[in-house]
mmCIF file of all heavy atoms in Angstrom:
data_model
loop_
_atom_site.group_PDB
_atom_site.id
_atom_site.type_symbol
_atom_site.label_atom_id
_atom_site.label_comp_id
_atom_site.label_asym_id
_atom_site.label_seq_id
_atom_site.Cartn_x
_atom_site.Cartn_y
_atom_site.Cartn_z
ATOM 1 N N SER A 9 27.627 -3.576 -15.193
ATOM 2 C CA SER A 9 27.588 -3.164 -16.601
ATOM 3 C C SER A 9 26.151 -3.178 -17.092
ATOM 4 O O SER A 9 25.438 -4.158 -16.949
ATOM 5 C CB SER A 9 28.460 -4.088 -17.450
ATOM 6 O OG SER A 9 27.962 -5.401 -17.414
ATOM 7 N N LEU A 10 25.757 -2.063 -17.646
ATOM 8 C CA LEU A 10 24.409 -1.907 -18.163
ATOM 9 C C LEU A 10 24.485 -0.867 -19.280
ATOM 10 O O LEU A 10 25.022 0.219 -19.079
ATOM 11 C CB LEU A 10 23.476 -1.417 -17.043
ATOM 12 C CG LEU A 10 21.994 -1.425 -17.304
ATOM 13 C CD1 LEU A 10 21.478 -2.855 -17.452
ATOM 14 C CD2 LEU A 10 21.265 -0.750 -16.161
ATOM 15 N N PRO A 11 23.971 -1.204 -20.457
ATOM 16 C CA PRO A 11 23.986 -0.209 -21.530
ATOM 17 C C PRO A 11 23.240 1.060 -21.112
ATOM 18 O O PRO A 11 22.252 0.996 -20.373
ATOM 19 C CB PRO A 11 23.269 -0.910 -22.683
ATOM 20 C CG PRO A 11 23.359 -2.368 -22.378
ATOM 21 C CD PRO A 11 23.383 -2.473 -20.880
ATOM 22 N N ALA A 12 23.716 2.199 -21.578
ATOM 23 C CA ALA A 12 23.116 3.488 -21.211
ATOM 24 C C ALA A 12 21.628 3.524 -21.567
ATOM 25 O O ALA A 12 20.817 4.049 -20.809
ATOM 26 C CB ALA A 12 23.858 4.620 -21.907
ATOM 27 N N LYS A 13 21.278 2.943 -22.706
ATOM 28 C CA LYS A 13 19.879 2.926 -23.140
ATOM 29 C C LYS A 13 18.998 2.182 -22.140
ATOM 30 O O LYS A 13 17.883 2.607 -21.838
ATOM 31 C CB LYS A 13 19.791 2.279 -24.527
ATOM 32 C CG LYS A 13 18.423 2.271 -25.129
ATOM 33 C CD LYS A 13 18.458 1.640 -26.515
ATOM 34 C CE LYS A 13 17.069 1.544 -27.104
ATOM 35 N NZ LYS A 13 17.077 0.911 -28.424
ATOM 36 N N VAL A 14 19.507 1.079 -21.595
ATOM 37 C CA VAL A 14 18.743 0.291 -20.625
ATOM 38 C C VAL A 14 18.622 1.059 -19.308
ATOM 39 O O VAL A 14 17.553 1.088 -18.695
ATOM 40 C CB VAL A 14 19.382 -1.099 -20.408
ATOM 41 C CG1 VAL A 14 18.668 -1.869 -19.321
ATOM 42 C CG2 VAL A 14 19.371 -1.887 -21.711
ATOM 43 N N ALA A 15 19.716 1.685 -18.869
ATOM 44 C CA ALA A 15 19.669 2.479 -17.632
ATOM 45 C C ALA A 15 18.634 3.590 -17.752
ATOM 46 O O ALA A 15 17.836 3.821 -16.832
ATOM 47 C CB ALA A 15 21.043 3.050 -17.315
ATOM 48 N N LEU A 16 18.629 4.268 -18.900
ATOM 49 C CA LEU A 16 17.642 5.323 -19.125
ATOM 50 C C LEU A 16 16.220 4.772 -19.130
ATOM 51 O O LEU A 16 15.317 5.363 -18.539
ATOM 52 C CB LEU A 16 17.925 6.035 -20.450
ATOM 53 C CG LEU A 16 19.082 7.018 -20.455
ATOM 54 C CD1 LEU A 16 19.380 7.480 -21.876
ATOM 55 C CD2 LEU A 16 18.792 8.202 -19.564
ATOM 56 N N SER A 17 16.018 3.640 -19.781
ATOM 57 C CA SER A 17 14.661 3.079 -19.839
ATOM 58 C C SER A 17 14.178 2.649 -18.459
ATOM 59 O O SER A 17 13.010 2.836 -18.131
ATOM 60 C CB SER A 17 14.591 1.914 -20.831
ATOM 61 O OG SER A 17 15.316 0.805 -20.357
ATOM 62 N N ILE A 18 15.078 2.129 -17.626
ATOM 63 C CA ILE A 18 14.693 1.741 -16.264
ATOM 64 C C ILE A 18 14.269 2.981 -15.476
ATOM 65 O O ILE A 18 13.235 2.974 -14.799
ATOM 66 C CB ILE A 18 15.840 0.997 -15.556
ATOM 67 C CG1 ILE A 18 16.001 -0.401 -16.150
ATOM 68 C CG2 ILE A 18 15.594 0.904 -14.050
ATOM 69 C CD1 ILE A 18 17.215 -1.158 -15.631
ATOM 70 N N VAL A 19 15.041 4.045 -15.583
ATOM 71 C CA VAL A 19 14.710 5.265 -14.842
ATOM 72 C C VAL A 19 13.396 5.862 -15.345
ATOM 73 O O VAL A 19 12.526 6.211 -14.550
ATOM 74 C CB VAL A 19 15.855 6.288 -14.932
ATOM 75 C CG1 VAL A 19 15.427 7.649 -14.409
ATOM 76 C CG2 VAL A 19 17.061 5.788 -14.157
ATOM 77 N N PHE A 20 13.230 5.952 -16.657
ATOM 78 C CA PHE A 20 11.996 6.526 -17.198
ATOM 79 C C PHE A 20 10.774 5.680 -16.834
ATOM 80 O O PHE A 20 9.741 6.215 -16.440
ATOM 81 C CB PHE A 20 12.084 6.696 -18.718
ATOM 82 C CG PHE A 20 12.752 7.969 -19.143
ATOM 83 C CD1 PHE A 20 14.030 7.958 -19.680
ATOM 84 C CD2 PHE A 20 12.111 9.187 -18.999
ATOM 85 C CE1 PHE A 20 14.647 9.128 -20.071
ATOM 86 C CE2 PHE A 20 12.718 10.373 -19.392
ATOM 87 C CZ PHE A 20 13.990 10.345 -19.926
ATOM 88 N N LEU A 21 10.881 4.356 -16.952
ATOM 89 C CA LEU A 21 9.751 3.505 -16.599
ATOM 90 C C LEU A 21 9.417 3.585 -15.121
ATOM 91 O O LEU A 21 8.250 3.628 -14.736
ATOM 92 C CB LEU A 21 10.043 2.046 -16.983
ATOM 93 C CG LEU A 21 9.920 1.698 -18.454
ATOM 94 C CD1 LEU A 21 10.424 0.290 -18.705
ATOM 95 C CD2 LEU A 21 8.480 1.837 -18.913
ATOM 96 N N SER A 22 10.447 3.613 -14.283
ATOM 97 C CA SER A 22 10.177 3.648 -12.845
ATOM 98 C C SER A 22 9.586 4.992 -12.427
ATOM 99 O O SER A 22 8.890 5.066 -11.414
ATOM 100 C CB SER A 22 11.443 3.341 -12.051
ATOM 101 O OG SER A 22 12.421 4.339 -12.241
ATOM 102 N N GLN A 23 9.818 6.059 -13.184
ATOM 103 C CA GLN A 23 9.263 7.360 -12.826
ATOM 104 C C GLN A 23 7.745 7.394 -12.931
ATOM 105 O O GLN A 23 7.098 8.189 -12.258
ATOM 106 C CB GLN A 23 9.870 8.454 -13.704
ATOM 107 C CG GLN A 23 11.309 8.747 -13.388
ATOM 108 C CD GLN A 23 11.541 9.109 -11.941
ATOM 109 O OE1 GLN A 23 10.930 10.026 -11.414
ATOM 110 N NE2 GLN A 23 12.427 8.385 -11.293
ATOM 111 N N VAL A 24 7.179 6.535 -13.745
ATOM 112 C CA VAL A 24 5.723 6.471 -13.860
ATOM 113 C C VAL A 24 5.112 6.137 -12.509
ATOM 114 O O VAL A 24 4.061 6.671 -12.129
ATOM 115 C CB VAL A 24 5.304 5.436 -14.926
ATOM 116 C CG1 VAL A 24 3.807 5.253 -14.956
ATOM 117 C CG2 VAL A 24 5.828 5.867 -16.289
ATOM 118 N N ALA A 25 5.797 5.303 -11.731
ATOM 119 C CA ALA A 25 5.281 4.891 -10.427
ATOM 120 C C ALA A 25 5.370 6.004 -9.391
ATOM 121 O O ALA A 25 4.852 5.858 -8.287
ATOM 122 C CB ALA A 25 6.044 3.661 -9.933
ATOM 123 N N LYS A 26 5.982 7.124 -9.728
ATOM 124 C CA LYS A 26 6.084 8.239 -8.793
ATOM 125 C C LYS A 26 4.705 8.769 -8.414
ATOM 126 O O LYS A 26 4.528 9.391 -7.383
ATOM 127 C CB LYS A 26 6.898 9.353 -9.437
ATOM 128 C CG LYS A 26 7.792 10.075 -8.508
ATOM 129 C CD LYS A 26 8.567 11.115 -9.263
ATOM 130 C CE LYS A 26 9.942 11.213 -8.664
ATOM 131 N NZ LYS A 26 10.770 12.188 -9.308
ATOM 132 N N TYR A 27 3.741 8.524 -9.268
ATOM 133 C CA TYR A 27 2.421 9.084 -9.054
ATOM 134 C C TYR A 27 1.525 8.165 -8.230
ATOM 135 O O TYR A 27 0.373 8.498 -7.979
ATOM 136 C CB TYR A 27 1.790 9.453 -10.398
ATOM 137 C CG TYR A 27 2.686 10.420 -11.109
ATOM 138 C CD1 TYR A 27 3.525 10.005 -12.131
ATOM 139 C CD2 TYR A 27 2.764 11.735 -10.685
ATOM 140 C CE1 TYR A 27 4.399 10.896 -12.741
ATOM 141 C CE2 TYR A 27 3.638 12.630 -11.288
ATOM 142 C CZ TYR A 27 4.446 12.196 -12.311
ATOM 143 O OH TYR A 27 5.308 13.069 -12.902
ATOM 144 N N VAL A 28 2.061 7.035 -7.780
ATOM 145 C CA VAL A 28 1.347 6.187 -6.831
ATOM 146 C C VAL A 28 1.574 6.804 -5.459
ATOM 147 O O VAL A 28 2.709 7.143 -5.111
ATOM 148 C CB VAL A 28 1.883 4.731 -6.872
ATOM 149 C CG1 VAL A 28 1.242 3.878 -5.805
ATOM 150 C CG2 VAL A 28 1.659 4.133 -8.247
ATOM 151 N N PRO A 29 0.528 6.992 -4.659
ATOM 152 C CA PRO A 29 0.707 7.623 -3.351
ATOM 153 C C PRO A 29 1.770 6.911 -2.506
ATOM 154 O O PRO A 29 1.910 5.697 -2.537
ATOM 155 C CB PRO A 29 -0.674 7.489 -2.698
ATOM 156 C CG PRO A 29 -1.611 7.391 -3.856
ATOM 157 C CD PRO A 29 -0.855 6.653 -4.931
ATOM 158 N N GLY A 30 2.527 7.694 -1.780
ATOM 159 C CA GLY A 30 3.556 7.154 -0.904
ATOM 160 C C GLY A 30 4.957 7.488 -1.348
ATOM 161 O O GLY A 30 5.892 7.434 -0.571
ATOM 162 N N ASN A 31 5.137 7.852 -2.616
ATOM 163 C CA ASN A 31 6.431 8.252 -3.171
ATOM 164 C C ASN A 31 7.522 7.211 -2.945
ATOM 165 O O ASN A 31 8.677 7.549 -2.725
ATOM 166 C CB ASN A 31 6.848 9.619 -2.621
ATOM 167 C CG ASN A 31 7.822 10.324 -3.538
ATOM 168 O OD1 ASN A 31 7.935 9.998 -4.716
ATOM 169 N ND2 ASN A 31 8.538 11.279 -3.003
ATOM 170 N N VAL A 32 7.163 5.957 -2.961
ATOM 171 C CA VAL A 32 8.139 4.878 -2.790
ATOM 172 C C VAL A 32 8.128 3.940 -3.988
ATOM 173 O O VAL A 32 9.130 3.315 -4.307
ATOM 174 C CB VAL A 32 7.840 4.081 -1.498
ATOM 175 C CG1 VAL A 32 8.798 2.937 -1.321
ATOM 176 C CG2 VAL A 32 7.894 4.996 -0.284
ATOM 177 N N ALA A 33 7.010 3.878 -4.682
ATOM 178 C CA ALA A 33 6.836 2.891 -5.748
ATOM 179 C C ALA A 33 7.865 3.036 -6.857
ATOM 180 O O ALA A 33 8.280 2.036 -7.450
ATOM 181 C CB ALA A 33 5.425 2.975 -6.321
ATOM 182 N N HIS A 34 8.329 4.254 -7.159
ATOM 183 C CA HIS A 34 9.317 4.404 -8.225
ATOM 184 C C HIS A 34 10.659 3.808 -7.814
ATOM 185 O O HIS A 34 11.403 3.316 -8.654
ATOM 186 C CB HIS A 34 9.446 5.855 -8.670
ATOM 187 C CG HIS A 34 9.956 6.804 -7.650
ATOM 188 N ND1 HIS A 34 9.194 7.206 -6.578
ATOM 189 C CD2 HIS A 34 11.142 7.429 -7.531
ATOM 190 C CE1 HIS A 34 9.898 8.047 -5.852
ATOM 191 N NE2 HIS A 34 11.085 8.199 -6.403
ATOM 192 N N HIS A 35 10.965 3.819 -6.526
ATOM 193 C CA HIS A 35 12.195 3.169 -6.061
ATOM 194 C C HIS A 35 12.067 1.651 -6.178
ATOM 195 O O HIS A 35 12.984 0.973 -6.652
ATOM 196 C CB HIS A 35 12.507 3.561 -4.621
ATOM 197 C CG HIS A 35 12.832 5.013 -4.455
ATOM 198 N ND1 HIS A 35 13.894 5.613 -5.090
ATOM 199 C CD2 HIS A 35 12.222 5.988 -3.746
ATOM 200 C CE1 HIS A 35 13.928 6.886 -4.767
ATOM 201 N NE2 HIS A 35 12.925 7.146 -3.955
ATOM 202 N N VAL A 36 10.928 1.134 -5.743
ATOM 203 C CA VAL A 36 10.684 -0.309 -5.843
ATOM 204 C C VAL A 36 10.706 -0.741 -7.302
ATOM 205 O O VAL A 36 11.307 -1.754 -7.655
ATOM 206 C CB VAL A 36 9.340 -0.683 -5.165
ATOM 207 C CG1 VAL A 36 9.007 -2.148 -5.385
ATOM 208 C CG2 VAL A 36 9.378 -0.356 -3.679
ATOM 209 N N GLY A 37 10.081 0.055 -8.151
ATOM 210 C CA GLY A 37 10.058 -0.265 -9.574
ATOM 211 C C GLY A 37 11.443 -0.310 -10.184
ATOM 212 O O GLY A 37 11.761 -1.193 -10.980
ATOM 213 N N ARG A 38 12.300 0.606 -9.777
ATOM 214 C CA ARG A 38 13.653 0.611 -10.317
ATOM 215 C C ARG A 38 14.420 -0.624 -9.856
ATOM 216 O O ARG A 38 15.149 -1.235 -10.634
ATOM 217 C CB ARG A 38 14.409 1.863 -9.908
ATOM 218 C CG ARG A 38 15.710 1.956 -10.689
ATOM 219 C CD ARG A 38 16.605 3.080 -10.349
ATOM 220 N NE ARG A 38 16.005 4.393 -10.316
ATOM 221 C CZ ARG A 38 16.717 5.488 -10.089
ATOM 222 N NH1 ARG A 38 18.024 5.411 -9.907
ATOM 223 N NH2 ARG A 38 16.145 6.657 -10.048
ATOM 224 N N VAL A 39 14.245 -1.001 -8.599
ATOM 225 C CA VAL A 39 14.932 -2.200 -8.091
ATOM 226 C C VAL A 39 14.452 -3.444 -8.843
ATOM 227 O O VAL A 39 15.252 -4.286 -9.253
ATOM 228 C CB VAL A 39 14.715 -2.355 -6.569
ATOM 229 C CG1 VAL A 39 15.197 -3.702 -6.074
ATOM 230 C CG2 VAL A 39 15.407 -1.232 -5.815
ATOM 231 N N VAL A 40 13.143 -3.559 -9.047
ATOM 232 C CA VAL A 40 12.585 -4.723 -9.747
ATOM 233 C C VAL A 40 13.091 -4.762 -11.191
ATOM 234 O O VAL A 40 13.510 -5.822 -11.682
ATOM 235 C CB VAL A 40 11.043 -4.694 -9.705
ATOM 236 C CG1 VAL A 40 10.443 -5.733 -10.637
ATOM 237 C CG2 VAL A 40 10.553 -4.919 -8.279
ATOM 238 N N LEU A 41 13.073 -3.625 -11.875
ATOM 239 C CA LEU A 41 13.554 -3.587 -13.259
ATOM 240 C C LEU A 41 15.052 -3.872 -13.336
ATOM 241 O O LEU A 41 15.511 -4.575 -14.237
ATOM 242 C CB LEU A 41 13.243 -2.233 -13.893
ATOM 243 C CG LEU A 41 11.766 -1.973 -14.216
ATOM 244 C CD1 LEU A 41 11.530 -0.505 -14.548
ATOM 245 C CD2 LEU A 41 11.302 -2.859 -15.350
ATOM 246 N N ALA A 42 15.819 -3.329 -12.399
ATOM 247 C CA ALA A 42 17.264 -3.579 -12.394
ATOM 248 C C ALA A 42 17.553 -5.060 -12.172
ATOM 249 O O ALA A 42 18.440 -5.636 -12.817
ATOM 250 C CB ALA A 42 17.940 -2.739 -11.307
ATOM 251 N N LYS A 43 16.800 -5.671 -11.283
ATOM 252 C CA LYS A 43 16.987 -7.104 -11.030
ATOM 253 C C LYS A 43 16.669 -7.913 -12.286
ATOM 254 O O LYS A 43 17.354 -8.888 -12.603
ATOM 255 C CB LYS A 43 16.113 -7.551 -9.864
ATOM 256 C CG LYS A 43 16.402 -8.943 -9.396
ATOM 257 C CD LYS A 43 15.614 -9.287 -8.155
ATOM 258 C CE LYS A 43 15.958 -10.692 -7.723
ATOM 259 N NZ LYS A 43 15.223 -11.088 -6.534
ATOM 260 N N ARG A 44 15.648 -7.492 -13.016
ATOM 261 C CA ARG A 44 15.272 -8.181 -14.252
ATOM 262 C C ARG A 44 16.404 -8.149 -15.274
ATOM 263 O O ARG A 44 16.566 -9.068 -16.069
ATOM 264 C CB ARG A 44 14.022 -7.535 -14.837
ATOM 265 C CG ARG A 44 13.540 -8.222 -16.108
ATOM 266 C CD ARG A 44 12.294 -7.613 -16.659
ATOM 267 N NE ARG A 44 11.179 -7.894 -15.773
ATOM 268 C CZ ARG A 44 10.006 -7.303 -15.869
ATOM 269 N NH1 ARG A 44 9.786 -6.388 -16.777
ATOM 270 N NH2 ARG A 44 9.034 -7.608 -15.040
ATOM 271 N N TYR A 45 17.209 -7.078 -15.253
ATOM 272 C CA TYR A 45 18.346 -6.971 -16.171
ATOM 273 C C TYR A 45 19.630 -7.526 -15.584
ATOM 274 O O TYR A 45 20.709 -7.331 -16.146
ATOM 275 C CB TYR A 45 18.549 -5.509 -16.597
ATOM 276 C CG TYR A 45 17.537 -5.068 -17.618
ATOM 277 C CD1 TYR A 45 16.405 -4.361 -17.235
ATOM 278 C CD2 TYR A 45 17.698 -5.383 -18.966
ATOM 279 C CE1 TYR A 45 15.467 -3.964 -18.167
ATOM 280 C CE2 TYR A 45 16.767 -4.984 -19.894
ATOM 281 C CZ TYR A 45 15.650 -4.274 -19.496
ATOM 282 O OH TYR A 45 14.718 -3.886 -20.424
ATOM 283 N N GLY A 46 19.519 -8.218 -14.460
ATOM 284 C CA GLY A 46 20.668 -8.919 -13.899
ATOM 285 C C GLY A 46 21.589 -8.098 -13.017
ATOM 286 O O GLY A 46 22.700 -8.527 -12.722
ATOM 287 N N LEU A 47 21.145 -6.935 -12.589
ATOM 288 C CA LEU A 47 21.978 -6.126 -11.707
ATOM 289 C C LEU A 47 21.888 -6.647 -10.275
ATOM 290 O O LEU A 47 20.844 -7.134 -9.847
ATOM 291 C CB LEU A 47 21.537 -4.657 -11.733
ATOM 292 C CG LEU A 47 21.669 -3.949 -13.069
ATOM 293 C CD1 LEU A 47 21.169 -2.524 -12.952
ATOM 294 C CD2 LEU A 47 23.100 -3.968 -13.548
ATOM 295 N N GLY A 48 22.983 -6.504 -9.541
ATOM 296 C CA GLY A 48 23.004 -6.939 -8.153
ATOM 297 C C GLY A 48 22.146 -6.033 -7.278
ATOM 298 O O GLY A 48 22.134 -4.814 -7.442
ATOM 299 N N MET A 49 21.430 -6.631 -6.338
ATOM 300 C CA MET A 49 20.530 -5.880 -5.471
ATOM 301 C C MET A 49 21.308 -4.876 -4.607
ATOM 302 O O MET A 49 20.909 -3.723 -4.459
ATOM 303 C CB MET A 49 19.757 -6.853 -4.577
ATOM 304 C CG MET A 49 18.729 -6.192 -3.701
ATOM 305 S SD MET A 49 17.265 -5.681 -4.601
ATOM 306 C CE MET A 49 16.605 -7.241 -5.097
ATOM 307 N N THR A 50 22.431 -5.299 -4.053
ATOM 308 C CA THR A 50 23.217 -4.420 -3.181
ATOM 309 C C THR A 50 23.721 -3.198 -3.943
ATOM 310 O O THR A 50 23.588 -2.068 -3.474
ATOM 311 C CB THR A 50 24.410 -5.189 -2.576
ATOM 312 O OG1 THR A 50 23.911 -6.330 -1.890
ATOM 313 C CG2 THR A 50 25.192 -4.321 -1.628
ATOM 314 N N ASN A 51 24.267 -3.422 -5.123
ATOM 315 C CA ASN A 51 24.772 -2.305 -5.923
ATOM 316 C C ASN A 51 23.652 -1.376 -6.380
ATOM 317 O O ASN A 51 23.816 -0.156 -6.406
ATOM 318 C CB ASN A 51 25.564 -2.814 -7.125
ATOM 319 C CG ASN A 51 26.896 -3.392 -6.720
ATOM 320 O OD1 ASN A 51 27.435 -3.055 -5.680
ATOM 321 N ND2 ASN A 51 27.423 -4.277 -7.539
ATOM 322 N N THR A 52 22.526 -1.941 -6.742
ATOM 323 C CA THR A 52 21.389 -1.122 -7.161
ATOM 324 C C THR A 52 20.925 -0.229 -6.022
ATOM 325 O O THR A 52 20.749 0.977 -6.189
ATOM 326 C CB THR A 52 20.228 -2.011 -7.644
ATOM 327 O OG1 THR A 52 20.664 -2.790 -8.750
ATOM 328 C CG2 THR A 52 19.030 -1.177 -8.067
#
């Protein structure tokens, strides 16, 4: 369970990391932000 506003903010914030070379940082950023909001790592 995650409010839609929080899900959107996680996706938008993690997209900023897309511009770090390697095209992986936005995935890592989303996992870190999701964990901060209490989401399970496996489900994320």
Side-chain angles (χ1 to χ4, degrees):
S9 63
L10 191 66
K13 184 179 176 181
V14 175
L16 284 171
S17 69
I18 288 173
V19 169
F20 276 107
L21 283 172
S22 65
Q23 289 304 305
V24 174
K26 217 178 215 180
Y27 302 101
V28 175
N31 204 19
V32 178
H34 64 288
H35 295 300
V36 174
R38 190 184 310 183
V39 170
V40 169
L41 288 167
K43 189 174 181 180
R44 182 178 291 168
Y45 284 98
L47 297 179
M49 184 75 66
T50 304
N51 288 336
T52 300

